[in-house]
Amino acid sequence: MISENGWNSLEDGGNFFREEAETALASTNGTGDQSGNDPETAGRRLLDREIPLDYLQEWTQILAQQANSQAGTDTAALSEDSLKIGQAKATQSAMIFRLGSERFALPVCVLQEVTSPSPIHTLPHRTNDLFLGLVNIRGEILPCFSLSQFLNVEMPIDPTYSRINLRRMIVIGGQENRWVFPADEVHRVYRFHPNELQEPPVVVAKTQKAYTQGIIDWRGEKVNYLDADRLLDTLDRRLL
C-alpha cells in the first residue's frame, strides 16, 4: 500500500507532467502550425523530456521503502506459519482404550492393529494370569498377554461389566516382536502436545506409575499414557 507521502509525491509528479503538457500544447495554440508543432508532436516531445533528478530519486526511495515493508510483512507471516507447522509436528498421537473401569493410552507408533476378539490357545505349563497363550491374527501366531494383570488393574467382579461387542484385541510391537492383549473397549486416536502431560497422582498403583509417562485429560477423565518402550522391553525379557 502506498503511504500518504507516496500519494503526495505521486500527485506532485502528476502536476509536473500536467504542467509540461499544458505548456507544450499551449505553444501550438491548440492547433498545428507550419513548423510542425502539432499536438502529436508536442506529446512526443513531452515523453522525450528527461525526468527531473530529484523526482526520480524521491520515487526510488518510496518504492524501496514499500519493498522493505512488504518483505517484513512476508517474513512475519512466514515465521508465524513456520511456528504453526512446528507446533503441529510436535504433537503426538495415542490410542485410548479401556481396561475395566480405567483408561489407558499407547503411542500409535507401536500400534500394529485393532481387531475383534479371537480364541486364545493356552500352552501347557506356560499359561498363567499374565501370559494368556497364543492367538491367530490374520494367519500369524502371536503371544497374548493380559495388560490389566501386568498393570495390576482391578477388574470388576461382575462378568457383565463390559459389553461383549465392545471388546477388542490390540496388537502392539515393532519389527521383531509383536504382542496381543485384550481390551474392554477401544475409543479413538487422540492428538496432544507433550506439554499437556501431567504428573501421575500419588494414588496411581506402583506398577502403573512405573510404566506411566504422564496423565492425559480426555473428555474430563484421566488417562494413563503408558511408556511403550519400557512396556515392550519388559514383556520381551519376562515372557519370551
Side-chain angles (χ1 to χ4, degrees), residues 41 48 65-67 80 85 100 117 122 141 146 161 165 184 186 201 216 227 231 233:
T41 303
D48 291 338
Q65 292 174 356
Q66 293 174 2
E80 184 177 355
I85 294 174
T122 60
I141 305 301
S146 172
Y161 71 93
N165 61 336
D184 295 307
V186 174
I216 302 173
D227 187 335
L231 172 63
D233 181 66

Side-chain angles (χ1 to χ4, degrees), residues 53-64:
L53 182 60
D54 57 346
Y55 176 80
L56 183 61
Q57 292 176 342
E58 182 178 4
W59 267 99
T60 300
Q61 295 176 355
I62 291 173
L63 294 176

Side-chain angles (χ1 to χ4, degrees), residues 36-57:
N37 289 328
D38 53 60
E40 182 178 355
T41 303
R44 193 180 304 111
R45 289 179 178 176
L46 172 62
L47 296 176
D48 291 338
R49 289 177 62 92
E50 294 184 1
I51 300 176
L53 182 60
D54 57 346
Y55 176 80
L56 183 61
Q57 292 176 342

Side-chain angles (χ1 to χ4, degrees), residues 9-27:
S9 299
L10 180 61
E11 183 177 359
D12 293 340
N15 291 336
F16 164 76
F17 283 109
R18 191 181 303 110
E19 291 173 358
E20 291 296 317
E22 291 175 352
T23 301
L25 290 174
S27 65

Side-chain angles (χ1 to χ4, degrees), residues 81-132:
D81 292 341
S82 299
L83 178 61
K84 292 179 179 179
I85 294 174
Q87 291 175 342
K89 290 182 178 180
T91 59
Q92 299 179 2
S93 299
M95 172 66 75
I96 298 178
F97 56 93
R98 180 173 60 83
L99 300 176
S101 59
E102 299 185 42
R103 286 173 174 78
F104 299 86
L106 280 168
V108 295
C109 61
V110 300
L111 182 66
Q112 299 287 328
E113 186 176 355
V114 176
T115 182
S116 299
S118 299
I120 301 175
H121 304 278
T122 60
L123 297 179
H125 312 295
R126 287 292 308 273
T127 298
N128 50 48
D129 292 339
L130 180 58
F131 181 74
L132 303 180

Side-chain angles (χ1 to χ4, degrees), residues 103-233:
R103 286 173 174 78
F104 299 86
L106 280 168
V108 295
C109 61
V110 300
L111 182 66
Q112 299 287 328
E113 186 176 355
V114 176
T115 182
S116 299
S118 299
I120 301 175
H121 304 278
T122 60
L123 297 179
H125 312 295
R126 287 292 308 273
T127 298
N128 50 48
D129 292 339
L130 180 58
F131 181 74
L132 303 180
L134 301 177
V135 62
N136 187 332
I137 302 295
R138 300 183 183 278
E140 184 178 3
I141 305 301
L142 298 176
C144 182
F145 74 104
S146 172
L147 183 58
S148 58
Q149 183 69 27
F150 184 90
L151 298 175
N152 291 327
V153 177
E154 294 185 5
M155 305 299 286
I157 300 177
D158 185 358
T160 62
Y161 71 93
S162 179
R163 291 164 53 187
I164 299 296
N165 61 336
L166 293 180
R167 295 177 184 174
R168 294 292 184 268
M169 282 188 166
I170 300 178
V171 184
I172 60 173
Q175 296 293 335
E176 297 182 0
N177 299 323
R178 301 203 296 168
W179 293 86
V180 183
F181 66 90
D184 295 307
E185 185 177 359
V186 174
H187 294 290
R188 53 168 292 184
V189 173
Y190 177 68
R191 295 182 65 87
F192 66 96
H193 194 277
N195 293 338
E196 298 178 33
L197 284 178
Q198 306 171 16
E199 289 293 330
V202 180
V203 295
V204 173
K206 184 177 180 180
T207 305
Q208 290 186 24
K209 191 171 183 179
Y211 292 92
T212 297
Q213 282 190 302
I215 302 297
I216 302 173
D217 275 327
W218 178 72
R219 295 182 178 179
E221 298 188 24
K222 302 297 184 182
V223 177
N224 288 7
Y225 182 62
L226 300 176
D227 187 335
D229 292 336
R230 188 172 185 180
L231 172 63
L232 292 171
D233 181 66

